[in-house]
Amino acid sequence: MKVFFNPKQYKKLYSIPSEKVTNLIEIWSQNPQIQIVPEYELLPKEELYKIHSVKYVNGIYDGTVKNGFNTYDPEMAIVEQYQVSSFLEAAKVALNEGIACSPVAGFHHATYDFSGKFCIFNGLMMTAVKLKELGLAKKIGILDLDFHYGDGTDDIINKLGIKYVSHWGYAKNWVPTAAMFFVELRKGLKSLEDCDIILYQAGMDMYQLDPKGGLLTPEELHRRDKMVFDWAKQMKIPLVWNLAGGYTEVNFLTSLHNGTMDDCLDVYFKK
């Protein structure tokens, strides 16, 4: 399967365990079932005006608006531009091949005109808008299984009056136990059955001991991911997934995210 990663979409950060991305690329590069795609079309900056205010986008690029990492570093605008482009290109491939991955994280807290909690540009909504605009999908489903609420995603949907995106997330349907989570997840997947593609945030801050989240054991995280992949494959709905959140020790976190890939390969490519 294809994984869209260009080194320009990565920058080492100290506020989050960002090394998980390069750790994963090193692991995945050794797997003959995975093709790392380093070159893809860079979405022009002006496209971001379709989901964010012009003032906000320009301020991020010129360093006059604080970004989601609590800095004014204009380099982060380029990093995020590559991340959004990676996710969009992966989505296009998923529409043709059924599945693809973009190893990016921060999207869903970015609102129409504000950065939040390690998110700068909302790649989920940029991808949804572009797929619709290009005639590649009529209805797009966002399945957000990060521990935290995708407030930025809903803000953009509401501000722009977007009707063709269905947004289902754990934090929007919060429950206190793993057993209840899986009941709600089945309902969530059912609600997305009429979508042409699923944009899946496979967040690992759902891990029960994550310092910024916590609900599921590692075994339950595998169950979650296999449940999502099995459902999408059986329903013949293309799916693109990303890493989303995760804040525990970086080597252990890498193993959790790698578990998502293992589950994905097992569902889609096991003979």
Side-chain angles (χ1 to χ4, degrees):
M1 68 170 285
K2 292 185 175 69
V3 172
F4 287 76
F5 177 77
N6 183 304
K8 291 180 180 179
Q9 72 191 56
Y10 171 80
K11 181 176 182 178
K12 182 176 174 61
L13 301 166
Y14 296 96
S15 53
I16 58 173
S18 58
E19 300 97 321
K20 68 181 185 180
V21 176
T22 48
N23 289 352
L24 289 167
I25 293 301
E26 183 177 353
I27 294 168
W28 294 347
S29 296
Q30 307 305 311
N31 190 326
Q33 290 184 297
I34 298 172
Q35 177 187 352
I36 307 297
V37 182
E39 300 297 331
Y40 47 81
E41 182 180 355
L42 184 63
L43 192 73
K45 163 190 168 183
E46 292 73 21
E47 290 291 304
L48 294 166
Y49 299 158
K50 294 175 179 177
I51 61 162
H52 296 296
S53 73
V54 173
K55 180 179 180 181
Y56 170 73
V57 172
N58 290 345
I60 293 293
Y61 275 87
D62 64 26
T64 59
V65 170
K66 186 182 291 186
N67 63 43
F69 297 88
N70 206 32
T71 74
Y72 292 88
D73 180 7
E75 184 181 343
M76 287 305 300
I78 305 301
V79 172
E80 289 270 327
Q81 186 178 358
Y82 270 92
Q83 290 191 6
V84 172
S85 301
S86 164
F87 193 68
L88 174 58
E89 290 304 308
K92 291 177 182 177
V93 165
L95 283 165
N96 290 321
E97 300 182 7
I99 186 72
C101 171
S102 170
V104 298
F107 282 155
H108 70 168
H109 293 305
T111 72
Y112 179 73
D113 55 7
F114 184 76
S115 290
K117 301 172 186 175
F118 315 124
C119 301
I120 299 176
F121 300 133
N122 197 309
L124 298 166
M125 289 308 299
M126 187 75 262
T127 296
V129 167
K130 288 301 294 181
L131 293 181
K132 174 71 170 179
E133 179 185 283
L134 294 169
L136 298 176
K138 293 181 179 178
K139 187 168 184 180
I140 296 95
I142 295 175
L143 178 62
D144 194 342
L145 298 188
D146 189 278
F147 185 81
H148 304 98
Y149 170 47
D151 52 339
T153 300
D154 272 349
D155 179 73
I156 294 169
I157 289 172
N158 294 332
K159 272 199 170 68
L160 300 182
I162 293 174
K163 305 297 184 184
Y164 54 83
V165 173
S166 291
H167 177 208
W168 195 94
Y170 162 70
K172 293 180 68 175
N173 299 272
W174 184 87
V175 288
T177 69
M180 296 171 71
F181 165 78
F182 286 107
V183 171
E184 292 303 310
L185 179 56
R186 290 187 190 94
K187 296 177 185 177
L189 296 177
K190 183 71 176 177
S191 74
L192 299 175
E193 286 183 355
D194 61 343
C195 293
D196 299 312
I197 185 171
I198 302 298
L199 314 183
Y200 175 36
Q201 296 233 116
M204 285 302 159
D205 48 7
M206 289 288 289
Y207 170 55
Q208 61 180 2
L209 299 180
D210 190 280
K212 295 182 183 295
L215 181 71
L216 306 177
T217 66
E219 293 76 19
E220 289 164 341
L221 287 165
H222 278 294
R223 180 184 172 190
R224 177 199 72 173
D225 289 337
K226 291 199 76 169
M227 185 173 170
V228 171
F229 293 136
D230 277 329
W231 167 81
K233 186 179 180 183
Q234 290 172 11
M235 295 298 298
K236 298 181 179 180
I237 304 175
L239 183 145
V240 57
W241 60 276
N242 67 33
L243 306 178
Y247 308 95
T248 190
E249 190 276 325
V250 68
N251 291 318
F252 182 70
L253 179 59
T254 299
S255 72
L256 292 178
H257 284 297
N258 192 47
T260 303
M261 178 61 81
D262 288 342
D263 294 331
C264 182
L265 294 175
D266 186 55
V267 169
Y268 283 90
F269 300 100
K270 187 175 181 179
K271 295 181 179 179

Short mmCIF file of all heavy atoms in Angstrom, two decimals, residues 132-186:
data_model
loop_
_atom_site.label_atom_id
_atom_site.label_comp_id
_atom_site.label_asym_id
_atom_site.label_seq_id
_atom_site.Cartn_x
_atom_site.Cartn_y
_atom_site.Cartn_z
N LYS A 132 -14.56 17.07 -3.28
CA LYS A 132 -15.87 17.49 -3.79
C LYS A 132 -15.70 18.40 -5.00
O LYS A 132 -16.37 18.22 -6.03
CB LYS A 132 -16.63 18.22 -2.68
CG LYS A 132 -17.96 18.83 -3.10
CD LYS A 132 -19.02 17.79 -3.37
CE LYS A 132 -20.38 18.45 -3.53
NZ LYS A 132 -21.45 17.48 -3.82
N GLU A 133 -14.82 19.37 -4.92
CA GLU A 133 -14.60 20.33 -5.99
C GLU A 133 -14.11 19.65 -7.27
O GLU A 133 -14.52 20.01 -8.39
CB GLU A 133 -13.56 21.35 -5.53
CG GLU A 133 -13.19 22.41 -6.54
CD GLU A 133 -12.05 23.29 -6.02
OE1 GLU A 133 -12.33 24.16 -5.18
OE2 GLU A 133 -10.90 23.08 -6.44
N LEU A 134 -13.28 18.63 -7.13
CA LEU A 134 -12.72 17.91 -8.28
C LEU A 134 -13.67 16.85 -8.84
O LEU A 134 -13.35 16.18 -9.82
CB LEU A 134 -11.40 17.25 -7.89
CG LEU A 134 -10.25 18.21 -7.55
CD1 LEU A 134 -9.08 17.44 -6.93
CD2 LEU A 134 -9.79 18.97 -8.79
N GLY A 135 -14.82 16.70 -8.19
CA GLY A 135 -15.79 15.71 -8.65
C GLY A 135 -15.39 14.28 -8.33
O GLY A 135 -15.91 13.33 -8.94
N LEU A 136 -14.51 14.10 -7.37
CA LEU A 136 -14.03 12.77 -7.03
C LEU A 136 -14.90 12.10 -5.95
O LEU A 136 -14.84 10.88 -5.78
CB LEU A 136 -12.58 12.85 -6.54
CG LEU A 136 -11.57 13.37 -7.57
CD1 LEU A 136 -10.18 13.48 -6.94
CD2 LEU A 136 -11.54 12.45 -8.80
N ALA A 137 -15.66 12.88 -5.22
CA ALA A 137 -16.54 12.34 -4.19
C ALA A 137 -17.71 13.30 -3.98
O ALA A 137 -17.52 14.51 -4.01
CB ALA A 137 -15.78 12.13 -2.88
N LYS A 138 -18.88 12.73 -3.77
CA LYS A 138 -20.06 13.55 -3.50
C LYS A 138 -20.29 13.73 -2.01
O LYS A 138 -20.76 14.77 -1.57
CB LYS A 138 -21.29 12.91 -4.15
CG LYS A 138 -21.26 12.91 -5.67
CD LYS A 138 -22.53 12.29 -6.24
CE LYS A 138 -22.53 12.30 -7.76
NZ LYS A 138 -23.74 11.66 -8.32
N LYS A 139 -19.98 12.68 -1.24
CA LYS A 139 -20.15 12.77 0.21
C LYS A 139 -18.92 12.19 0.89
O LYS A 139 -18.47 11.08 0.54
CB LYS A 139 -21.41 12.03 0.68
CG LYS A 139 -21.69 12.24 2.16
CD LYS A 139 -23.06 11.75 2.56
CE LYS A 139 -23.35 12.08 4.03
NZ LYS A 139 -24.68 11.61 4.46
N ILE A 140 -18.38 12.92 1.83
CA ILE A 140 -17.14 12.54 2.49
C ILE A 140 -17.41 12.31 3.97
O ILE A 140 -18.07 13.12 4.63
CB ILE A 140 -16.06 13.64 2.33
CG1 ILE A 140 -15.69 13.81 0.85
CG2 ILE A 140 -14.82 13.31 3.14
CD1 ILE A 140 -16.44 14.90 0.13
N GLY A 141 -16.91 11.19 4.47
CA GLY A 141 -17.05 10.89 5.89
C GLY A 141 -15.75 11.12 6.63
O GLY A 141 -14.68 10.70 6.17
N ILE A 142 -15.81 11.80 7.76
CA ILE A 142 -14.66 11.98 8.64
C ILE A 142 -14.91 11.15 9.89
O ILE A 142 -15.87 11.38 10.63
CB ILE A 142 -14.45 13.46 9.01
CG1 ILE A 142 -14.08 14.27 7.76
CG2 ILE A 142 -13.36 13.59 10.08
CD1 ILE A 142 -13.96 15.76 7.99
N LEU A 143 -14.06 10.15 10.08
CA LEU A 143 -14.14 9.28 11.25
C LEU A 143 -12.98 9.65 12.16
O LEU A 143 -11.83 9.28 11.91
CB LEU A 143 -14.07 7.81 10.83
CG LEU A 143 -14.10 6.78 11.96
CD1 LEU A 143 -15.41 6.87 12.75
CD2 LEU A 143 -13.88 5.38 11.41
N ASP A 144 -13.26 10.38 13.21
CA ASP A 144 -12.22 10.95 14.07
C ASP A 144 -12.15 10.17 15.38
O ASP A 144 -12.92 10.42 16.31
CB ASP A 144 -12.52 12.43 14.33
CG ASP A 144 -11.33 13.16 14.93
OD1 ASP A 144 -10.43 12.48 15.46
OD2 ASP A 144 -11.31 14.40 14.86
N LEU A 145 -11.21 9.21 15.43
CA LEU A 145 -11.04 8.41 16.64
C LEU A 145 -9.81 8.82 17.42
O LEU A 145 -9.19 8.02 18.11
CB LEU A 145 -11.03 6.92 16.29
CG LEU A 145 -12.32 6.41 15.65
CD1 LEU A 145 -12.31 4.89 15.52
CD2 LEU A 145 -13.56 6.87 16.42
N ASP A 146 -9.48 10.08 17.33
CA ASP A 146 -8.61 10.75 18.29
C ASP A 146 -9.40 10.87 19.59
O ASP A 146 -10.64 10.86 19.57
CB ASP A 146 -8.23 12.13 17.75
CG ASP A 146 -7.17 12.84 18.56
OD1 ASP A 146 -7.51 13.45 19.59
OD2 ASP A 146 -5.99 12.78 18.15
N PHE A 147 -8.71 10.99 20.72
CA PHE A 147 -9.42 11.11 21.99
C PHE A 147 -10.15 12.44 22.11
O PHE A 147 -11.16 12.53 22.81
CB PHE A 147 -8.41 10.98 23.15
CG PHE A 147 -9.05 10.98 24.51
CD1 PHE A 147 -9.61 9.83 25.03
CD2 PHE A 147 -9.09 12.14 25.28
CE1 PHE A 147 -10.21 9.82 26.29
CE2 PHE A 147 -9.68 12.15 26.54
CZ PHE A 147 -10.24 10.98 27.05
N HIS A 148 -9.66 13.47 21.42
CA HIS A 148 -10.17 14.82 21.60
C HIS A 148 -11.16 15.23 20.51
O HIS A 148 -11.12 14.71 19.39
CB HIS A 148 -9.00 15.81 21.65
CG HIS A 148 -8.01 15.47 22.71
ND1 HIS A 148 -6.85 14.77 22.45
CD2 HIS A 148 -8.01 15.70 24.05
CE1 HIS A 148 -6.17 14.59 23.57
NE2 HIS A 148 -6.86 15.14 24.56
N TYR A 149 -11.99 16.16 20.86
CA TYR A 149 -13.04 16.65 19.96
C TYR A 149 -12.46 17.46 18.81
O TYR A 149 -11.67 18.39 19.03
CB TYR A 149 -14.04 17.49 20.75
CG TYR A 149 -15.05 18.25 19.94
CD1 TYR A 149 -15.76 17.65 18.89
CD2 TYR A 149 -15.33 19.59 20.23
CE1 TYR A 149 -16.69 18.36 18.16
CE2 TYR A 149 -16.27 20.30 19.51
CZ TYR A 149 -16.94 19.68 18.47
OH TYR A 149 -17.87 20.39 17.74
N GLY A 150 -12.87 17.15 17.58
CA GLY A 150 -12.43 17.90 16.41
C GLY A 150 -13.22 19.19 16.26
O GLY A 150 -14.00 19.36 15.32
N ASP A 151 -12.99 20.10 17.19
CA ASP A 151 -13.75 21.35 17.21
C ASP A 151 -13.48 22.20 15.97
O ASP A 151 -14.38 22.89 15.47
CB ASP A 151 -13.44 22.15 18.48
CG ASP A 151 -11.94 22.35 18.71
OD1 ASP A 151 -11.13 21.59 18.15
OD2 ASP A 151 -11.59 23.28 19.46
N GLY A 152 -12.25 22.14 15.46
CA GLY A 152 -11.94 22.91 14.26
C GLY A 152 -12.69 22.41 13.05
O GLY A 152 -13.17 23.20 12.23
N THR A 153 -12.83 21.10 12.95
CA THR A 153 -13.56 20.50 11.83
C THR A 153 -15.01 20.97 11.85
O THR A 153 -15.55 21.42 10.82
CB THR A 153 -13.49 18.97 11.92
OG1 THR A 153 -12.11 18.57 11.86
CG2 THR A 153 -14.26 18.32 10.79
N ASP A 154 -15.66 20.89 13.01
CA ASP A 154 -17.05 21.34 13.09
C ASP A 154 -17.18 22.83 12.87
O ASP A 154 -18.16 23.31 12.27
CB ASP A 154 -17.65 20.96 14.45
CG ASP A 154 -18.26 19.56 14.45
OD1 ASP A 154 -18.41 18.98 13.36
OD2 ASP A 154 -18.59 19.06 15.54
N ASP A 155 -16.22 23.61 13.34
CA ASP A 155 -16.25 25.05 13.14
C ASP A 155 -16.26 25.40 11.65
O ASP A 155 -17.06 26.24 11.20
CB ASP A 155 -15.04 25.71 13.81
CG ASP A 155 -15.02 27.22 13.62
OD1 ASP A 155 -15.84 27.92 14.26
OD2 ASP A 155 -14.18 27.71 12.83
N ILE A 156 -15.41 24.75 10.86
CA ILE A 156 -15.35 25.02 9.43
C ILE A 156 -16.63 24.55 8.73
O ILE A 156 -17.19 25.25 7.88
CB ILE A 156 -14.10 24.36 8.82
CG1 ILE A 156 -12.84 25.04 9.37
CG2 ILE A 156 -14.12 24.46 7.29
CD1 ILE A 156 -11.54 24.31 9.05
N ILE A 157 -17.09 23.36 9.10
CA ILE A 157 -18.34 22.85 8.52
C ILE A 157 -19.48 23.84 8.75
O ILE A 157 -20.24 24.17 7.84
CB ILE A 157 -18.69 21.47 9.12
CG1 ILE A 157 -17.72 20.39 8.62
CG2 ILE A 157 -20.13 21.08 8.79
CD1 ILE A 157 -17.86 19.06 9.31
N ASN A 158 -19.59 24.33 9.98
CA ASN A 158 -20.68 25.23 10.33
C ASN A 158 -20.52 26.62 9.71
O ASN A 158 -21.49 27.19 9.20
CB ASN A 158 -20.80 25.33 11.85
CG ASN A 158 -21.22 24.02 12.49
OD1 ASN A 158 -21.90 23.20 11.86
ND2 ASN A 158 -20.80 23.78 13.71
N LYS A 159 -19.31 27.16 9.75
CA LYS A 159 -19.09 28.51 9.21
C LYS A 159 -19.32 28.57 7.71
O LYS A 159 -19.84 29.55 7.19
CB LYS A 159 -17.67 28.98 9.53
CG LYS A 159 -17.55 29.69 10.88
CD LYS A 159 -16.28 30.53 10.96
CE LYS A 159 -16.29 31.42 12.21
NZ LYS A 159 -16.18 30.66 13.45
N LEU A 160 -18.93 27.50 7.01
CA LEU A 160 -19.05 27.48 5.55
C LEU A 160 -20.33 26.81 5.08
O LEU A 160 -20.59 26.73 3.88
CB LEU A 160 -17.82 26.78 4.93
CG LEU A 160 -16.47 27.43 5.25
CD1 LEU A 160 -15.35 26.68 4.55
CD2 LEU A 160 -16.45 28.91 4.85
N GLY A 161 -21.13 26.32 6.00
CA GLY A 161 -22.40 25.69 5.64
C GLY A 161 -22.24 24.46 4.77
O GLY A 161 -23.04 24.21 3.87
N ILE A 162 -21.22 23.66 5.06
CA ILE A 162 -20.93 22.47 4.24
C ILE A 162 -21.88 21.34 4.62
O ILE A 162 -21.97 20.95 5.79
CB ILE A 162 -19.46 22.06 4.42
CG1 ILE A 162 -18.54 23.13 3.82
CG2 ILE A 162 -19.20 20.70 3.78
CD1 ILE A 162 -17.07 22.91 4.06
N LYS A 163 -22.57 20.82 3.62
CA LYS A 163 -23.58 19.78 3.85
C LYS A 163 -23.12 18.39 3.42
O LYS A 163 -23.80 17.40 3.72
CB LYS A 163 -24.87 20.13 3.10
CG LYS A 163 -25.45 21.50 3.42
CD LYS A 163 -25.86 21.63 4.87
CE LYS A 163 -26.53 22.98 5.15
NZ LYS A 163 -26.86 23.16 6.59
N TYR A 164 -22.01 18.30 2.70
CA TYR A 164 -21.61 17.02 2.12
C TYR A 164 -20.57 16.28 2.95
O TYR A 164 -20.03 15.26 2.51
CB TYR A 164 -21.09 17.23 0.69
CG TYR A 164 -19.98 18.26 0.56
CD1 TYR A 164 -18.65 17.92 0.81
CD2 TYR A 164 -20.27 19.56 0.19
CE1 TYR A 164 -17.64 18.86 0.70
CE2 TYR A 164 -19.26 20.52 0.08
CZ TYR A 164 -17.95 20.16 0.33
OH TYR A 164 -16.96 21.09 0.22
N VAL A 165 -20.28 16.77 4.15
CA VAL A 165 -19.34 16.10 5.04
C VAL A 165 -20.09 15.57 6.26
O VAL A 165 -20.81 16.31 6.93
CB VAL A 165 -18.22 17.06 5.50
CG1 VAL A 165 -17.36 16.39 6.57
CG2 VAL A 165 -17.36 17.47 4.32
N SER A 166 -19.92 14.28 6.53
CA SER A 166 -20.44 13.67 7.76
C SER A 166 -19.28 13.47 8.71
O SER A 166 -18.29 12.81 8.38
CB SER A 166 -21.09 12.32 7.46
OG SER A 166 -22.28 12.48 6.72
N HIS A 167 -19.39 14.05 9.90
CA HIS A 167 -18.29 14.06 10.86
C HIS A 167 -18.71 13.27 12.10
O HIS A 167 -19.58 13.71 12.85
CB HIS A 167 -17.96 15.51 11.22
CG HIS A 167 -16.89 15.65 12.26
ND1 HIS A 167 -16.83 16.75 13.11
CD2 HIS A 167 -15.83 14.87 12.59
CE1 HIS A 167 -15.80 16.62 13.91
NE2 HIS A 167 -15.17 15.50 13.63
N TRP A 168 -18.08 12.11 12.29
CA TRP A 168 -18.36 11.31 13.49
C TRP A 168 -17.07 11.14 14.27
O TRP A 168 -16.04 10.75 13.72
CB TRP A 168 -18.91 9.93 13.13
CG TRP A 168 -19.55 9.24 14.31
CD1 TRP A 168 -20.86 9.26 14.66
CD2 TRP A 168 -18.88 8.45 15.31
NE1 TRP A 168 -21.07 8.53 15.81
CE2 TRP A 168 -19.86 8.03 16.24
CE3 TRP A 168 -17.56 8.06 15.52
CZ2 TRP A 168 -19.57 7.23 17.34
CZ3 TRP A 168 -17.25 7.29 16.64
CH2 TRP A 168 -18.25 6.87 17.53
N GLY A 169 -17.12 11.42 15.56
CA GLY A 169 -15.91 11.30 16.38
C GLY A 169 -16.22 10.76 17.76
O GLY A 169 -17.33 10.91 18.28
N TYR A 170 -15.20 10.14 18.35
CA TYR A 170 -15.36 9.62 19.71
C TYR A 170 -15.75 10.71 20.68
O TYR A 170 -16.69 10.56 21.48
CB TYR A 170 -14.07 8.94 20.18
CG TYR A 170 -14.03 8.77 21.68
CD1 TYR A 170 -14.87 7.84 22.31
CD2 TYR A 170 -13.19 9.55 22.49
CE1 TYR A 170 -14.88 7.70 23.68
CE2 TYR A 170 -13.18 9.40 23.86
CZ TYR A 170 -14.03 8.48 24.46
OH TYR A 170 -14.03 8.35 25.84
N ALA A 171 -15.05 11.84 20.63
CA ALA A 171 -15.31 12.89 21.61
C ALA A 171 -16.68 13.54 21.43
O ALA A 171 -17.22 14.13 22.37
CB ALA A 171 -14.21 13.95 21.54
N LYS A 172 -17.25 13.43 20.23
CA LYS A 172 -18.61 13.93 20.00
C LYS A 172 -19.65 12.95 20.53
O LYS A 172 -20.82 13.29 20.69
CB LYS A 172 -18.86 14.15 18.51
CG LYS A 172 -18.05 15.26 17.88
CD LYS A 172 -18.36 15.41 16.39
CE LYS A 172 -19.76 15.93 16.16
NZ LYS A 172 -20.03 16.19 14.73
N ASN A 173 -19.21 11.73 20.77
CA ASN A 173 -20.11 10.66 21.23
C ASN A 173 -19.46 9.96 22.42
O ASN A 173 -19.41 8.74 22.51
CB ASN A 173 -20.35 9.67 20.09
CG ASN A 173 -21.00 10.32 18.88
OD1 ASN A 173 -22.21 10.41 18.78
ND2 ASN A 173 -20.18 10.79 17.95
N TRP A 174 -18.98 10.78 23.37
CA TRP A 174 -18.16 10.30 24.47
C TRP A 174 -18.89 9.28 25.33
O TRP A 174 -20.08 9.44 25.66
CB TRP A 174 -17.73 11.47 25.35
CG TRP A 174 -16.80 11.06 26.46
CD1 TRP A 174 -15.45 10.96 26.40
CD2 TRP A 174 -17.18 10.69 27.79
NE1 TRP A 174 -14.95 10.54 27.61
CE2 TRP A 174 -15.99 10.36 28.48
CE3 TRP A 174 -18.41 10.59 28.45
CZ2 TRP A 174 -16.00 9.95 29.81
CZ3 TRP A 174 -18.41 10.18 29.78
CH2 TRP A 174 -17.21 9.87 30.45
N VAL A 175 -18.16 8.23 25.68
CA VAL A 175 -18.64 7.24 26.65
C VAL A 175 -17.46 6.88 27.56
O VAL A 175 -16.30 7.01 27.16
CB VAL A 175 -19.18 5.97 25.96
CG1 VAL A 175 -20.51 6.25 25.28
CG2 VAL A 175 -18.17 5.41 24.95
N PRO A 176 -17.73 6.42 28.78
CA PRO A 176 -16.65 6.24 29.76
C PRO A 176 -15.95 4.89 29.74
O PRO A 176 -14.93 4.73 30.42
CB PRO A 176 -17.37 6.45 31.09
CG PRO A 176 -18.77 5.97 30.83
CD PRO A 176 -19.06 6.35 29.41
N THR A 177 -16.47 3.91 28.99
CA THR A 177 -15.85 2.58 29.03
C THR A 177 -15.58 2.07 27.62
O THR A 177 -16.23 2.49 26.64
CB THR A 177 -16.76 1.56 29.73
OG1 THR A 177 -17.93 1.31 28.93
CG2 THR A 177 -17.18 2.06 31.12
N ALA A 178 -14.65 1.13 27.53
CA ALA A 178 -14.32 0.54 26.23
C ALA A 178 -15.51 -0.22 25.65
O ALA A 178 -15.77 -0.14 24.45
CB ALA A 178 -13.12 -0.40 26.38
N ALA A 179 -16.22 -0.95 26.48
CA ALA A 179 -17.37 -1.70 25.98
C ALA A 179 -18.39 -0.76 25.34
O ALA A 179 -18.93 -1.05 24.25
CB ALA A 179 -18.01 -2.50 27.12
N MET A 180 -18.65 0.34 25.98
CA MET A 180 -19.60 1.32 25.44
C MET A 180 -19.05 1.97 24.18
O MET A 180 -19.79 2.29 23.25
CB MET A 180 -19.94 2.37 26.49
CG MET A 180 -20.66 1.80 27.70
SD MET A 180 -20.83 2.99 29.05
CE MET A 180 -22.03 4.11 28.36
N PHE A 181 -17.72 2.17 24.14
CA PHE A 181 -17.09 2.76 22.95
C PHE A 181 -17.37 1.92 21.71
O PHE A 181 -17.73 2.44 20.65
CB PHE A 181 -15.58 2.89 23.17
CG PHE A 181 -14.81 3.14 21.90
CD1 PHE A 181 -14.79 4.40 21.32
CD2 PHE A 181 -14.12 2.10 21.28
CE1 PHE A 181 -14.09 4.63 20.14
CE2 PHE A 181 -13.42 2.33 20.10
CZ PHE A 181 -13.40 3.59 19.53
N PHE A 182 -17.21 0.61 21.82
CA PHE A 182 -17.41 -0.24 20.65
C PHE A 182 -18.87 -0.28 20.21
O PHE A 182 -19.16 -0.39 19.01
CB PHE A 182 -16.85 -1.64 20.91
CG PHE A 182 -15.35 -1.68 20.88
CD1 PHE A 182 -14.62 -1.81 22.06
CD2 PHE A 182 -14.66 -1.52 19.70
CE1 PHE A 182 -13.24 -1.82 22.04
CE2 PHE A 182 -13.27 -1.51 19.67
CZ PHE A 182 -12.56 -1.66 20.84
N VAL A 183 -19.78 -0.16 21.15
CA VAL A 183 -21.20 -0.05 20.79
C VAL A 183 -21.43 1.23 19.99
O VAL A 183 -22.10 1.21 18.94
CB VAL A 183 -22.09 -0.06 22.05
CG1 VAL A 183 -23.53 0.28 21.69
CG2 VAL A 183 -22.01 -1.42 22.74
N GLU A 184 -20.89 2.34 20.48
CA GLU A 184 -21.05 3.62 19.79
C GLU A 184 -20.34 3.63 18.44
O GLU A 184 -20.83 4.21 17.46
CB GLU A 184 -20.55 4.77 20.66
CG GLU A 184 -21.39 5.03 21.89
CD GLU A 184 -22.84 5.31 21.56
OE1 GLU A 184 -23.09 6.17 20.70
OE2 GLU A 184 -23.71 4.65 22.16
N LEU A 185 -19.17 2.99 18.37
CA LEU A 185 -18.44 2.95 17.12
C LEU A 185 -19.23 2.23 16.04
O LEU A 185 -19.25 2.67 14.88
CB LEU A 185 -17.07 2.29 17.32
CG LEU A 185 -16.19 2.16 16.06
CD1 LEU A 185 -15.96 3.52 15.39
CD2 LEU A 185 -14.86 1.51 16.42
N ARG A 186 -19.88 1.17 16.38
CA ARG A 186 -20.73 0.47 15.40
C ARG A 186 -21.80 1.41 14.85
O ARG A 186 -22.09 1.42 13.66
CB ARG A 186 -21.38 -0.77 16.02
CG ARG A 186 -20.41 -1.90 16.31
CD ARG A 186 -21.13 -3.16 16.76
NE ARG A 186 -20.18 -4.14 17.25
CZ ARG A 186 -19.83 -4.29 18.52
NH1 ARG A 186 -20.38 -3.49 19.45
NH2 ARG A 186 -18.96 -5.20 18.88
#
